Amino acid sequence: MNPGVITLASRNLQSAPSLRSKSLVIEDNIGEAIHIHYRNLRLDLTISEFFELSQVFADAAKNLARQLRIPIDEIDHVFLMNIAPYFGWVEKVKERFFDINELVIIEHNPEGRHLVSVSKCLAYQYLVNRNEQYVEYVKQYSTQGHSPDKLLGLLKSIRTNGYTNGTKIITFGDEPFIRDGMHRAACLLFLGKSKNIPVLNFRFKYDAPKDWMLRPK
Amino acid sequence: MVREIDNRLNLIKKTFDILDEFCFEFVLLRGIDAIESQHSNKDFDLLVRPKDIRNLEQVLLDFGYTVSTENNKGMLYLYGASPSKHFRINEAFIHFDITAALQYRALNGNAIVAVNTVLQEAIFAEKKSVEAVWRYIPSPEDELTHLCCRSIFDHNKVLKTHKQRMEILRNEVDETRLLAKLKLIFYKFSGTLWGIIQENKFTSVFDEYISFTDY
């Protein structure tokens, strides 16, 4: 704690700015600058400054994850972002072993979502017979940039490098639902590697919000 | 046949005459070959002032044109951009694509963006008067800037016809004036872009642009 602090400026702020209060957008304005729009604030950065800032955030995330004992390197970054609000309620993250056929996929449809086995999910069906329904599905529902090409690339990667070298399938609590890793599961089943698959299982504290449960007890 | 061609050219000439009579400012961005061709399915791109578009539409309707507005479902029009209007006399193969701003497709695909207002004004202020039916064309610097934008933003490549025209224009432009205009759209890429044009590396323009990192 530094006693030698001089306040240069101070003002009470609104709790939520009136302009774009829910917005976070990061843009590459080619030739000009990287813009980070956070609510009604805009940061202009050069590319190297942006990479430097990104690294600062990445290091902070790793340090936080280490303290919380979350194996951040085994979790997809987009999924990590989605699960970040629950970090404070994570009791432990443990590796468990499953048969792929024990796991259940959560697929979306216009009515909401439905639960299917890995062998019936659209990603697996695409690998087996290039089912066009998968193409339309990812266009409509994917938030992680999935595509048929990426799926085939993932298949090639798992075939070449194995499954355990990358991010893992994730489940929550005692539920069999795949929260992240549907495509990995489909690839593993397609490759005939369905037994004894290591899965990252998140266990939440008793007082955690129950909205993570698909089937509340 | 000769009479049909004569009629077509006459109709086009009369159209430009009327635009002038009504004091609408306009610049022909593209389509000289389509105007001169006997039977062409290509349209002529005309830029007009936003304040004139409504009156101009009525004038051309009265003249005998049909009009339709570009229908790009889901497209956002930003910073003064708007859907272009298509004026046709189908039986004479006449098709004007009239827009009220210099505007191009954003790289994210779902927006049309009007460019810097300095360029919007300059293209009118610096237009060249020509002894031809179409009367006004952009300055070489404005035309080359426009073709760069069309290539990079609208087409993601340099079309053969654009390449041919850019090869001519690069010898006509004043480099300082051109770079000042390119900078308003391409920022620090403008110098690289001019180098690509001078060195005939047209096939690499789009890849060089999206992979540019020196900023």
Side-chain angles (χ1 to χ4, degrees):
Chain A
M1 190 70 169
N2 186 350
V5 174
I6 299 171
T7 300
L8 299 175
S10 168
R11 186 163 294 183
N12 287 330
L13 300 176
Q14 282 182 295
S15 58
S18 55
L19 295 175
R20 305 186 74 183
S21 60
K22 294 182 183 178
S23 174
L24 169 64
V25 178
I26 302 175
E27 302 164 339
D28 180 6
N29 296 263
I30 300 177
E32 188 191 352
I34 304 287
H35 289 175
I36 298 179
H37 297 269
Y38 176 69
R39 302 184 193 271
N40 61 356
L41 172 71
R42 188 181 94 183
L43 302 179
D44 281 21
L45 306 163
T46 64
I47 286 183
S48 60
E49 284 169 344
F50 175 69
F51 281 138
E52 199 179 320
L53 183 65
S54 299
Q55 193 58 54
V56 166
F57 276 103
D59 290 343
K62 276 188 183 154
N63 285 333
L64 176 64
R66 196 177 304 124
Q67 289 192 29
L68 296 175
R69 294 188 193 153
I70 295 173
I72 199 173
D73 291 333
E74 295 176 41
I75 301 173
D76 176 85
H77 286 176
V78 175
F79 183 75
L80 200 66
M81 203 166 59
N82 292 335
I83 200 183
Y86 294 94
F87 271 15
W89 285 285
V90 172
E91 187 177 55
K92 63 181 165 190
V93 181
K94 225 179 139 181
E95 193 174 76
R96 291 176 63 185
F97 294 84
F98 285 90
D99 186 315
I100 284 285
N101 293 308
E102 292 178 273
L103 299 173
V104 178
I105 304 280
I106 307 167
E107 274 187 349
H108 297 277
N109 61 24
E111 285 80 48
R113 56 189 173 202
H114 68 286
L115 308 172
V116 296
S117 62
V118 178
S119 62
K120 289 200 162 60
C121 80
L122 290 174
Y124 180 76
Q125 293 299 320
Y126 183 81
L127 291 173
V128 170
N129 57 25
R130 297 296 181 267
N131 188 330
E132 282 296 309
Q133 275 190 284
Y134 172 73
V135 180
E136 291 311 310
Y137 178 81
V138 288
K139 270 187 201 167
Q140 191 168 358
Y141 294 110
S142 174
T143 56
Q144 290 168 257
H146 293 122
S147 69
D149 282 348
K150 274 197 172 175
L151 175 58
L152 294 173
L154 178 64
L155 179 69
K156 187 178 171 187
S157 171
I158 292 177
R159 187 182 270 138
T160 309
N161 305 314
Y163 160 72
T164 51
N165 282 337
T167 57
K168 290 207 172 58
I169 295 167
I170 293 178
T171 61
F172 289 172
D174 293 322
E175 295 181 342
F177 310 118
I178 295 179
R179 299 305 182 130
D180 191 58
M182 169 181 83
H183 294 85
R184 288 179 185 277
C187 290
L188 285 166
L189 185 63
F190 183 76
L191 291 169
K193 300 174 194 289
S194 61
K195 303 284 182 200
N196 225 28
I197 301 301
V199 167
L200 283 184
N201 177 245
F202 278 69
R203 311 296 291 193
F204 295 99
K205 295 174 184 169
Y206 183 77
D207 59 347
K210 298 293 182 268
D211 54 352
W212 62 265
M213 290 185 182
L214 274 185
R215 290 190 177 145
K217 292 176 184 155
Chain B
M1 177 73 111
V2 171
R3 198 160 168 189
E4 280 173 6
I5 297 163
D6 201 36
N7 278 344
R8 179 177 183 270
L9 283 172
N10 267 336
L11 280 170
I12 294 172
K13 183 182 180 307
K14 279 181 185 165
T15 303
F16 282 109
D17 286 346
I18 285 175
L19 295 181
D20 238 2
E21 275 168 34
F22 278 83
C23 299
F24 296 129
E25 264 197 286
F26 61 88
V27 179
L28 185 73
L29 296 178
R30 186 184 64 82
I32 290 174
D33 53 339
I35 291 173
E36 290 176 331
S37 160
Q38 295 164 16
H39 286 96
S40 174
N41 289 326
K42 289 185 187 169
D43 53 357
F44 333 131
D45 290 354
L46 203 67
L47 177 69
V48 301
R49 293 281 194 183
K51 66 177 175 62
D52 290 335
I53 196 76
R54 188 176 288 185
N55 290 341
L56 182 146
E57 180 176 333
Q58 192 55 55
V59 164
L60 290 181
L61 282 173
D62 291 344
F63 184 66
Y65 280 87
T66 59
V67 64
S68 61
T69 303
E70 189 173 58
N71 181 8
N72 271 329
K73 254 189 180 177
M75 191 70 77
L76 290 171
Y77 288 86
L78 302 173
Y79 305 113
S82 58
S84 56
K85 290 192 178 281
H86 298 272
F87 294 86
R88 292 181 172 90
I89 298 178
N90 285 326
E91 53 273 23
F93 299 96
I94 299 176
H95 176 187
F96 280 92
D97 178 348
I98 297 185
T99 180
L102 287 171
Q103 54 192 41
Y104 309 97
R105 187 179 289 261
L107 285 185
N108 65 15
N110 64 352
I112 303 287
V113 178
V115 296
N116 193 300
T117 51
V118 170
L119 291 170
Q120 305 282 1
E121 285 303 316
I123 196 163
F124 286 106
E126 296 166 27
K127 66 181 186 282
K128 279 174 41 173
S129 180
V130 292
E131 290 293 323
V133 157
W134 46 86
R135 304 196 183 210
Y136 304 109
I137 59 173
S139 67
E141 294 82 15
D142 281 320
E143 189 181 351
L144 185 52
T145 303
H146 172 64
L147 289 176
C148 288
C149 292
R150 289 279 283 158
S151 300
I152 289 174
F153 300 126
D154 290 347
H155 298 293
N156 298 162
K157 64 181 177 186
V158 181
L159 301 178
K160 191 177 167 190
T161 47
H162 289 168
K163 174 178 174 288
Q164 288 167 345
R165 188 69 190 138
M166 286 159 97
E167 283 169 342
I168 295 170
L169 288 168
R170 69 183 172 196
N171 297 321
E172 296 179 5
V173 297
D174 175 284
E175 181 172 309
T176 306
R177 287 155 62 99
L178 174 71
L179 284 171
K181 289 178 192 286
L182 290 178
K183 266 186 195 150
L184 291 172
I185 299 175
F186 298 105
Y187 301 94
K188 289 181 181 166
F189 181 68
S190 52
T192 304
L193 177 56
W194 177 225
I196 289 170
I197 294 169
Q198 289 178 299
E199 291 163 27
N200 247 21
K201 294 178 181 172
F202 293 101
T203 51
S204 69
V205 155
F206 183 69
D207 286 344
E208 295 255 359
Y209 179 65
I210 58 170
S211 60
F212 183 68
T213 56
D214 192 13
Y215 57 99

